[in-house]
Amino acid sequence: MLGTIVNTGCILAGSVIGSFVSCGISEKYKTALFNGLGLATVGLGANAFVSNMPKVAYPVLFIASIAIGTVIGTWLDLDGHFRALLEKAKGGSKLAEGLSTAILLFCIGTLSILGPIESRLNGNNTYLFTNATLDFVSSIILSSAYGIGITAAALVLFLWQGSIYLFAGIIAPYMTPALMGEISVLGGIFLMSSGLGILEVRDCKTLNMLPALLVPPLFYALINVVRPFLLFL
């Protein structure tokens, strides 16, 4: 758990630093920061999408995942509930946008998923320490734009990586490069969607798409169950 604790601490530290930096930035520069952050998020998402597409075994699975996941997420109104929760906490819609971007950026990535598995099975925290460094810089930027509320993403990351760490022995055999590629492709799409929201190009309600992450693991599990019968036939 050392790697996850360090990763969480880096996000908290970066968020606090960024919130202090934000106090001295005028509205003109905050707007410029939003534009830069939005473009950077779109760029990171595009890179994740393009670099992971060659790794997937079923190139159209991400389309089906987005379609199924978005329908479920919209039915559950995940985005609406999340924004309402932050409104009650006086966070406002801007914080909801920033926090959702932070959660996606910190949690839905190869390092953040494989890191806890590698830590649990091999005692190697290299992935998580690398991820912590990246998240430290990202949290400074996000918090300088959205405020101290970005620290909430640290708790989400701790619970996310902690859960993966605890169940690493069970899920490790199923985290194949192809399945990781599918998840990373979806993560890229989510980041691009968040970037478009930051740039105010289009609000795609990215949180409503999150159930899409459940589709690839379920699909691969189904394939593993069905494959022996197909070979038998």
Side-chain angles (χ1 to χ4, degrees):
M1 285 292 286
L2 175 62
T4 294
I5 292 171
V6 170
N7 201 164
T8 304
C10 282
I11 292 174
L12 288 172
S15 298
V16 171
I17 293 171
S19 66
F20 279 113
V21 172
S22 175
C23 296
I25 300 179
S26 68
E27 198 62 35
K28 178 176 68 173
Y29 292 105
K30 284 187 178 181
T31 300
L33 190 59
F34 277 122
N35 290 338
L37 181 61
L39 289 171
T41 304
V42 171
L44 287 171
N47 178 67
F49 180 85
V50 173
S51 61
N52 284 285
M53 274 302 292
K55 302 176 185 177
V56 304
Y58 305 96
V60 298
L61 179 58
F62 79 92
I63 301 175
S65 300
I66 288 290
I68 296 170
T70 302
V71 168
I72 295 174
T74 302
W75 176 62
L76 295 173
D77 193 20
L78 298 178
D79 184 82
H81 289 309
F82 183 69
R83 290 177 186 273
L85 181 64
L86 288 183
E87 286 289 350
K88 289 181 180 178
K90 298 182 180 179
S93 59
K94 272 296 181 184
L95 178 58
E97 179 182 75
L99 196 51
S100 62
T101 300
I103 291 170
L104 293 171
L105 191 61
F106 297 153
C107 297
I108 311 302
T110 303
L111 292 175
S112 193
I113 296 173
L114 286 183
I117 296 175
E118 183 71 12
S119 177
R120 174 69 183 274
L121 299 182
N122 301 315
N124 180 13
N125 289 305
T126 303
Y127 285 172
L128 289 175
F129 290 157
T130 302
N131 200 51
T133 304
L134 296 172
D135 289 350
F136 175 70
V137 176
S138 300
S139 61
I140 292 176
I141 298 172
L142 284 164
S143 187
S144 64
Y146 294 102
I148 193 66
I150 295 299
T151 53
L155 175 61
V156 176
L157 175 113
F158 182 80
L159 295 174
W160 169 253
Q161 289 188 357
S163 299
I164 295 175
Y165 182 89
L166 291 175
F167 292 103
I170 300 173
I171 65 176
Y174 305 101
M175 298 304 291
T176 62
L179 178 54
M180 280 301 304
E182 296 285 358
I183 292 174
S184 296
V185 164
L186 290 173
I189 293 173
F190 296 159
L191 284 176
M192 285 189 282
S193 174
S194 293
L196 293 176
I198 294 172
L199 292 169
E200 298 184 351
V201 174
R202 184 176 182 84
D203 182 6
C204 299
K205 299 189 183 301
T206 309
L207 290 180
N208 284 345
M209 301 179 187
L210 288 185
L213 291 170
L214 299 175
V215 177
L218 291 174
F219 177 80
Y220 273 74
L222 180 62
I223 289 294
N224 288 331
V225 170
V226 173
R227 184 178 288 121
F229 294 99
L230 296 177
L231 293 175
F232 178 76
L233 294 174

